[in-house]
Short mmCIF file of all heavy atoms in Angstrom, two decimals:
data_model
loop_
_atom_site.label_atom_id
_atom_site.label_comp_id
_atom_site.label_asym_id
_atom_site.label_seq_id
_atom_site.Cartn_x
_atom_site.Cartn_y
_atom_site.Cartn_z
N GLU I 281 -44.20 -2.55 63.60
CA GLU I 281 -43.19 -3.46 64.13
C GLU I 281 -43.34 -3.54 65.65
O GLU I 281 -43.42 -2.52 66.34
CB GLU I 281 -41.78 -2.98 63.78
CG GLU I 281 -41.46 -3.00 62.29
CD GLU I 281 -41.21 -4.41 61.79
OE1 GLU I 281 -41.08 -5.33 62.62
OE2 GLU I 281 -41.17 -4.58 60.56
N THR I 282 -43.37 -4.76 66.18
CA THR I 282 -43.62 -4.94 67.62
C THR I 282 -42.35 -5.13 68.43
O THR I 282 -42.41 -5.13 69.67
CB THR I 282 -44.54 -6.16 67.83
OG1 THR I 282 -43.92 -7.32 67.24
CG2 THR I 282 -45.89 -5.93 67.17
N SER I 283 -41.19 -5.31 67.80
CA SER I 283 -39.96 -5.54 68.55
C SER I 283 -38.78 -5.08 67.70
O SER I 283 -38.94 -4.72 66.52
CB SER I 283 -39.81 -7.02 68.92
OG SER I 283 -39.77 -7.82 67.76
N GLY I 284 -37.60 -5.15 68.31
CA GLY I 284 -36.39 -4.80 67.59
C GLY I 284 -36.13 -3.30 67.57
O GLY I 284 -36.89 -2.50 68.14
N PRO I 285 -35.06 -2.90 66.89
CA PRO I 285 -34.71 -1.47 66.84
C PRO I 285 -35.74 -0.61 66.11
O PRO I 285 -35.79 0.60 66.31
CB PRO I 285 -33.37 -1.46 66.10
CG PRO I 285 -33.35 -2.73 65.30
CD PRO I 285 -34.11 -3.73 66.12
N ASN I 286 -36.56 -1.22 65.27
CA ASN I 286 -37.58 -0.48 64.52
C ASN I 286 -38.96 -0.62 65.15
O ASN I 286 -39.97 -0.46 64.46
CB ASN I 286 -37.63 -0.95 63.07
CG ASN I 286 -36.35 -0.66 62.32
OD1 ASN I 286 -35.73 0.38 62.53
ND2 ASN I 286 -35.95 -1.56 61.44
N LYS I 287 -39.02 -0.88 66.42
CA LYS I 287 -40.30 -1.05 67.09
C LYS I 287 -41.15 0.23 66.93
O LYS I 287 -40.68 1.34 67.14
CB LYS I 287 -40.09 -1.32 68.57
CG LYS I 287 -41.38 -1.52 69.36
CD LYS I 287 -41.10 -1.80 70.82
CE LYS I 287 -42.41 -1.96 71.59
NZ LYS I 287 -42.16 -2.23 73.04
N GLY I 288 -42.38 0.02 66.54
CA GLY I 288 -43.29 1.15 66.33
C GLY I 288 -43.29 1.69 64.92
O GLY I 288 -44.14 2.52 64.58
N THR I 289 -42.36 1.20 64.08
CA THR I 289 -42.33 1.66 62.70
C THR I 289 -43.48 1.03 61.92
O THR I 289 -43.78 -0.15 62.07
CB THR I 289 -40.99 1.29 62.04
OG1 THR I 289 -39.92 1.85 62.80
CG2 THR I 289 -40.93 1.81 60.61
N ALA I 290 -44.11 1.84 61.09
CA ALA I 290 -45.26 1.34 60.33
C ALA I 290 -44.83 0.29 59.32
O ALA I 290 -43.82 0.44 58.62
CB ALA I 290 -45.94 2.50 59.62
N ARG I 291 -45.60 -0.80 59.23
CA ARG I 291 -45.38 -1.84 58.24
C ARG I 291 -46.43 -1.79 57.14
O ARG I 291 -46.13 -2.01 55.97
CB ARG I 291 -45.41 -3.22 58.90
CG ARG I 291 -44.31 -3.46 59.92
CD ARG I 291 -44.45 -4.82 60.56
NE ARG I 291 -44.45 -5.89 59.57
CZ ARG I 291 -44.69 -7.17 59.86
NH1 ARG I 291 -44.99 -7.52 61.11
NH2 ARG I 291 -44.65 -8.09 58.91
N THR I 292 -47.66 -1.49 57.51
CA THR I 292 -48.76 -1.45 56.55
C THR I 292 -49.64 -0.24 56.82
O THR I 292 -50.04 0.00 57.96
CB THR I 292 -49.63 -2.72 56.66
OG1 THR I 292 -48.80 -3.86 56.47
CG2 THR I 292 -50.73 -2.70 55.60
N PHE I 293 -49.87 0.54 55.79
CA PHE I 293 -50.85 1.64 55.82
C PHE I 293 -51.71 1.48 54.57
O PHE I 293 -51.22 1.68 53.46
CB PHE I 293 -50.15 3.01 55.79
CG PHE I 293 -49.87 3.58 57.15
CD1 PHE I 293 -50.22 2.93 58.29
CD2 PHE I 293 -49.26 4.82 57.28
CE1 PHE I 293 -49.97 3.45 59.54
CE2 PHE I 293 -48.99 5.36 58.52
CZ PHE I 293 -49.34 4.67 59.65
N GLN I 294 -52.96 1.15 54.75
CA GLN I 294 -53.82 1.01 53.59
C GLN I 294 -55.26 1.35 53.96
O GLN I 294 -55.72 1.07 55.07
CB GLN I 294 -53.76 -0.40 53.00
CG GLN I 294 -54.22 -1.50 53.94
CD GLN I 294 -54.05 -2.88 53.32
OE1 GLN I 294 -53.10 -3.12 52.57
NE2 GLN I 294 -54.95 -3.79 53.63
N ALA I 295 -55.94 1.99 53.02
CA ALA I 295 -57.33 2.40 53.21
C ALA I 295 -58.20 1.69 52.19
O ALA I 295 -57.92 1.75 50.98
CB ALA I 295 -57.45 3.92 53.06
N ALA I 296 -59.23 1.02 52.69
CA ALA I 296 -60.18 0.34 51.82
C ALA I 296 -61.29 1.33 51.46
O ALA I 296 -61.98 1.85 52.34
CB ALA I 296 -60.75 -0.89 52.50
N LEU I 297 -61.44 1.60 50.15
CA LEU I 297 -62.40 2.60 49.69
C LEU I 297 -63.45 1.95 48.79
O LEU I 297 -63.18 0.97 48.08
CB LEU I 297 -61.70 3.71 48.89
CG LEU I 297 -60.58 4.50 49.56
CD1 LEU I 297 -60.08 5.57 48.61
CD2 LEU I 297 -61.05 5.12 50.86
N THR I 298 -64.63 2.54 48.83
CA THR I 298 -65.67 2.28 47.84
C THR I 298 -65.89 3.59 47.09
O THR I 298 -66.28 4.59 47.70
CB THR I 298 -66.98 1.82 48.49
OG1 THR I 298 -66.75 0.62 49.22
CG2 THR I 298 -68.04 1.58 47.43
N TYR I 299 -65.62 3.60 45.78
CA TYR I 299 -65.68 4.85 45.03
C TYR I 299 -66.55 4.69 43.79
O TYR I 299 -66.80 3.56 43.32
CB TYR I 299 -64.28 5.32 44.64
CG TYR I 299 -63.65 4.53 43.53
CD1 TYR I 299 -63.69 4.97 42.21
CD2 TYR I 299 -62.99 3.33 43.79
CE1 TYR I 299 -63.10 4.25 41.19
CE2 TYR I 299 -62.41 2.60 42.78
CZ TYR I 299 -62.46 3.07 41.48
OH TYR I 299 -61.89 2.34 40.47
N SER I 300 -66.98 5.80 43.27
CA SER I 300 -67.76 5.82 42.03
C SER I 300 -67.39 7.08 41.26
O SER I 300 -67.03 8.11 41.84
CB SER I 300 -69.26 5.80 42.31
OG SER I 300 -69.65 6.95 43.04
N VAL I 301 -67.47 6.99 39.94
CA VAL I 301 -67.12 8.09 39.06
C VAL I 301 -68.40 8.60 38.39
O VAL I 301 -69.16 7.81 37.82
CB VAL I 301 -66.10 7.66 37.99
CG1 VAL I 301 -65.74 8.82 37.08
CG2 VAL I 301 -64.85 7.08 38.65
N GLY I 302 -68.62 9.91 38.49
CA GLY I 302 -69.82 10.49 37.90
C GLY I 302 -71.01 10.37 38.82
O GLY I 302 -70.97 9.74 39.89
N ALA I 303 -72.09 11.00 38.42
CA ALA I 303 -73.29 11.02 39.25
C ALA I 303 -73.94 9.65 39.35
O ALA I 303 -74.56 9.32 40.38
CB ALA I 303 -74.28 12.04 38.70
N TYR I 304 -73.82 8.84 38.30
CA TYR I 304 -74.50 7.55 38.29
C TYR I 304 -73.51 6.40 38.08
O TYR I 304 -73.88 5.35 37.55
CB TYR I 304 -75.55 7.53 37.17
CG TYR I 304 -76.54 8.67 37.28
CD1 TYR I 304 -76.42 9.80 36.47
CD2 TYR I 304 -77.58 8.64 38.21
CE1 TYR I 304 -77.31 10.86 36.57
CE2 TYR I 304 -78.48 9.68 38.31
CZ TYR I 304 -78.34 10.79 37.49
OH TYR I 304 -79.22 11.84 37.59
N GLY I 305 -72.28 6.61 38.51
CA GLY I 305 -71.28 5.56 38.34
C GLY I 305 -71.49 4.41 39.31
O GLY I 305 -72.05 4.56 40.39
N LYS I 306 -71.05 3.23 38.89
CA LYS I 306 -71.17 2.05 39.73
C LYS I 306 -70.11 2.07 40.82
O LYS I 306 -69.00 2.54 40.62
CB LYS I 306 -71.03 0.79 38.87
CG LYS I 306 -72.15 0.61 37.86
CD LYS I 306 -71.96 -0.69 37.08
CE LYS I 306 -73.09 -0.90 36.09
NZ LYS I 306 -72.94 -2.16 35.31
N ASP I 307 -70.47 1.52 41.98
CA ASP I 307 -69.53 1.45 43.09
C ASP I 307 -68.44 0.43 42.79
O ASP I 307 -68.71 -0.67 42.30
CB ASP I 307 -70.25 1.07 44.38
CG ASP I 307 -71.13 2.20 44.90
OD1 ASP I 307 -70.94 3.34 44.44
OD2 ASP I 307 -72.01 1.94 45.75
N LYS I 308 -67.21 0.82 43.11
CA LYS I 308 -66.06 -0.07 42.93
C LYS I 308 -65.24 -0.08 44.21
O LYS I 308 -65.19 0.91 44.95
CB LYS I 308 -65.20 0.40 41.76
CG LYS I 308 -65.92 0.44 40.43
CD LYS I 308 -65.00 0.96 39.33
CE LYS I 308 -65.73 1.09 38.01
NZ LYS I 308 -64.84 1.62 36.94
N LYS I 309 -64.57 -1.20 44.47
CA LYS I 309 -63.74 -1.35 45.65
C LYS I 309 -62.27 -1.19 45.25
O LYS I 309 -61.85 -1.63 44.17
CB LYS I 309 -63.94 -2.72 46.28
CG LYS I 309 -65.37 -3.02 46.73
CD LYS I 309 -65.71 -2.27 48.02
CE LYS I 309 -67.06 -2.72 48.55
NZ LYS I 309 -67.42 -2.03 49.82
N THR I 310 -61.50 -0.58 46.13
CA THR I 310 -60.07 -0.44 45.87
C THR I 310 -59.32 -0.24 47.18
O THR I 310 -59.93 0.08 48.22
CB THR I 310 -59.79 0.74 44.93
OG1 THR I 310 -58.41 0.73 44.56
CG2 THR I 310 -60.09 2.06 45.61
N LEU I 311 -58.02 -0.44 47.15
CA LEU I 311 -57.14 -0.18 48.28
C LEU I 311 -56.18 0.94 47.90
O LEU I 311 -55.55 0.90 46.84
CB LEU I 311 -56.33 -1.42 48.65
CG LEU I 311 -57.06 -2.55 49.38
CD1 LEU I 311 -56.10 -3.72 49.62
CD2 LEU I 311 -57.62 -2.08 50.72
#
Side-chain angles (χ1 to χ4, degrees):
E281 294 285 349
T282 58
S283 60
N286 295 324
K287 180 179 179 180
T289 303
R291 297 178 57 187
T292 304
F293 268 0
Q294 62 184 34
L297 303 182
T298 300
Y299 74 97
S300 62
V301 180
Y304 305 101
K306 295 182 179 180
D307 289 344
K308 300 178 183 179
K309 300 284 187 179
T310 188
L311 285 178

